[in-house]
Amino acid sequence: MRPEFYSLGGLSVASELPLPGYSACDPPPDEKPDVIIRIHAVIDALPSDRRGVSVVPGECRLSVPGVGLFEIRNGCEISVRPVPDVAPLALRTWLMGAAWGALCYQRGILIVHASAIQVDRRAVLFCAPVGGGKSTLAAIFNRMDYPLIADDLCHIDIPDAGPPLVYPAAPALRLWSDALRTFGWDTRVDDPDPFRPGKFRVILPQDRLLAPVPLGAIYLLQWGNFSIERLSGFTAWRRLLSGATYRPRLFDSIMRMNHYFGRTVAILQQIPLWELRRPRDFAAIDEIAGRIARHWAESHIIGE
Amino acid sequence: MKAAPLDPLTVIVRKSDLPFVSLDDDLLAMDEAAGKCYSLNASAAVVWDAIASPASVHSVCECLCREFAVDPETCLRDVSELLVDMREAGLIELDHAAGA
């Protein structure tokens, strides 16, 4: 099967499974991509009826009932064995979510569980676990003309000099149907989320970002009365680990802690980390966004 | 109950060569093999810097009294508690014989 080529998180990817919405690119000059995604024949029976992860050095096997078996090797190959009649979207969701996350951890790449928007040429990250409201907050800011950089999984590169960089991903968000209606984006719905009924992927009305964006600030989202508190030192590092790790079980099994430690400390030495509490009140979200935007000015994230 | 203050002539020797990095006021180090992350706050960081080469409890207290507004008696008590914690964490050894 002839692959298609994409640029993702600074890596060149040749994928036998088409990845609509992701940034297509020309094949690398030597035709040797950083990552190859192969689709194999269907697998009739998975190792177990339950979702499972097994990890040995250099290889991670991810078994997802109703979807398929993903084998991620040495940070450079993902082999996919779909179950019969799996929906392509379900396959892509797991491929570009957990399987891609496992590959990043094998390569020692720092990924965080966050939505990122661009504010005055800087990336602002909103980190939260599933259901923490990061995509909704990113959607509100996108309506205020702040471009989306990435949703759910953010790749961060730490160059030898200069600030950390956040790589742009597909300009798409996953939102609940009531949020889509409120934003008037019902007609932009691309795909229903195969695993969360009532949630949909929406392609945003913005130009695709191509270049990585210098990181400006990180917010850890919490529910509560509105407050923004700067975290520092060991507290900041520990809270980033607990509040922004993408798929903690995969992380614990694969990522070398020394890599993670070195990279996250390097980020926190340059970039402020804030704990942002806001009420769980969708009706107040415009007011909340306004207060956050004022915080960018007060803390000099914008205007420098 | 808090332990008695250490003999000021006790010598402190670093046992760990973990590279500590500074983050705001703290010093942090990761020991991947042991699965531990060490965090030293501002005053513990002064102690760690002061024992880059073996040093007595007395000289460490002198450093701290210069850096922070603390009386010598309180300083000796707090430093003793910290040093016992650091020894239990495997970061230092305390050579009591040096003060004998």
Side-chain angles (χ1 to χ4, degrees):
Chain A
M1 195 182 294
R2 184 154 182 81
E4 294 181 18
F5 289 87
Y6 301 89
S7 175
L8 185 55
L11 300 173
S12 58
V13 180
S15 177
E16 294 178 351
L17 182 74
L19 302 173
Y22 288 87
S23 188
C25 66
D26 292 329
D30 57 2
E31 295 271 338
K32 288 184 179 168
D34 299 312
V35 178
I36 296 174
I37 297 172
R38 300 184 196 282
I39 302 294
H40 295 275
V42 294
I43 185 168
D44 289 329
L46 291 173
S48 164
D49 291 340
R50 299 179 61 186
R51 190 183 301 169
V53 178
S54 64
V55 175
V56 295
E59 182 168 317
C60 171
R61 284 161 62 97
L62 183 63
S63 177
V64 187
V67 179
L69 181 67
F70 301 84
E71 295 169 316
I72 305 105
R73 297 190 189 93
N74 300 313
C76 57
E77 181 185 337
I78 301 177
S79 287
V80 185
R81 296 175 194 278
V83 298
D85 302 322
V86 60
L89 178 62
L91 204 57
R92 280 203 308 272
T93 300
W94 278 92
L95 171 65
M96 300 317 294
W100 183 258
L103 180 131
C104 290
Y105 288 146
Q106 286 178 340
R107 295 183 78 99
I109 292 174
L110 181 64
I111 52 174
V112 295
H113 203 187
S115 295
I117 57 165
Q118 182 174 315
V119 179
D120 198 18
R121 297 187 299 279
R122 305 274 190 89
V124 170
L125 265 53
F126 299 112
C127 307
V130 173
K134 53 190 179 302
S135 298
T136 305
L137 208 47
I140 283 284
F141 284 117
N142 189 259
R143 278 177 73 230
M144 296 163 69
D145 290 332
Y146 295 100
L148 180 80
I149 301 171
D151 183 39
D152 201 45
L153 191 157
C154 289
H155 293 71
I156 305 181
D157 184 30
I158 299 153
D160 292 336
L165 300 170
V166 181
Y167 279 95
L173 285 168
R174 286 180 197 279
L175 294 169
W176 297 103
S177 51
D178 54 349
L180 286 170
R181 272 194 304 277
T182 304
F183 299 153
W185 286 344
D186 322 41
T187 55
R188 291 189 164 273
V189 164
D190 175 28
D191 283 313
D193 188 317
F195 305 104
R196 297 187 183 91
K199 204 169 192 183
F200 296 87
R201 189 173 102 134
V202 59
I203 303 292
L204 297 178
Q206 69 169 60
D207 292 335
R208 177 185 293 279
L209 300 177
L210 298 175
V213 183
L215 181 56
I218 307 173
Y219 292 89
L220 298 178
L221 301 183
Q222 300 281 345
W223 302 114
N225 292 329
F226 190 92
S227 67
I228 300 178
E229 181 192 355
R230 174 83 189 262
L231 303 176
S232 64
F234 177 66
T235 302
W237 183 81
R238 186 171 49 83
R239 294 293 303 280
L240 188 67
L241 174 67
S242 63
T245 299
Y246 181 77
R247 293 194 176 265
R249 201 171 148 207
L250 275 180
F251 173 90
D252 290 342
S253 314
I254 304 172
M255 186 72 167
R256 286 197 53 205
M257 205 58 192
N258 272 349
H259 274 285
Y260 178 83
F261 177 77
R263 282 160 175 70
T264 46
V265 169
I267 287 175
L268 294 172
Q269 284 172 330
Q270 303 177 65
I271 305 298
L273 178 72
W274 307 90
E275 181 181 76
L276 166 58
R277 289 186 181 275
R278 78 277 190 232
R280 200 170 194 150
D281 180 2
F282 195 69
I285 199 159
D286 284 321
E287 183 198 337
I288 292 166
R291 295 178 77 170
I292 296 169
R294 282 198 293 280
H295 183 255
W296 297 335
E298 290 161 8
S299 57
H300 307 294
I301 294 166
I302 57 174
E304 285 193 338
Chain B
M1 198 173 103
K2 290 183 177 178
L6 294 169
D7 181 341
L9 296 179
T10 299
V11 170
I12 313 152
V13 182
R14 278 193 193 178
K15 198 175 150 190
S16 167
D17 57 0
L18 284 176
F20 277 80
V21 290
S22 66
L23 182 58
D24 304 311
D25 290 336
D26 297 346
L27 280 182
L28 308 183
M30 173 59 62
D31 185 345
E32 190 171 35
K36 287 181 181 173
C37 180
Y38 296 100
S39 162
L40 305 179
N41 65 14
S43 51
V46 170
V47 172
W48 187 252
D49 286 342
I51 58 169
S53 54
S56 69
V57 172
H58 175 73
S59 67
V60 167
C61 285
E62 278 188 333
C63 280
L64 281 165
C65 287
R66 278 197 300 272
E67 290 278 334
F68 302 99
V70 60
D71 65 86
E73 191 181 338
T74 306
C75 185
L76 177 61
R77 195 175 60 237
D78 291 351
V79 164
S80 299
E81 205 172 313
L82 170 69
L83 291 172
V84 169
D85 286 348
M86 290 172 91
R87 181 181 61 188
E88 286 174 3
L91 292 174
I92 59 166
E93 286 176 341
L94 295 173
D95 183 358
H96 299 287

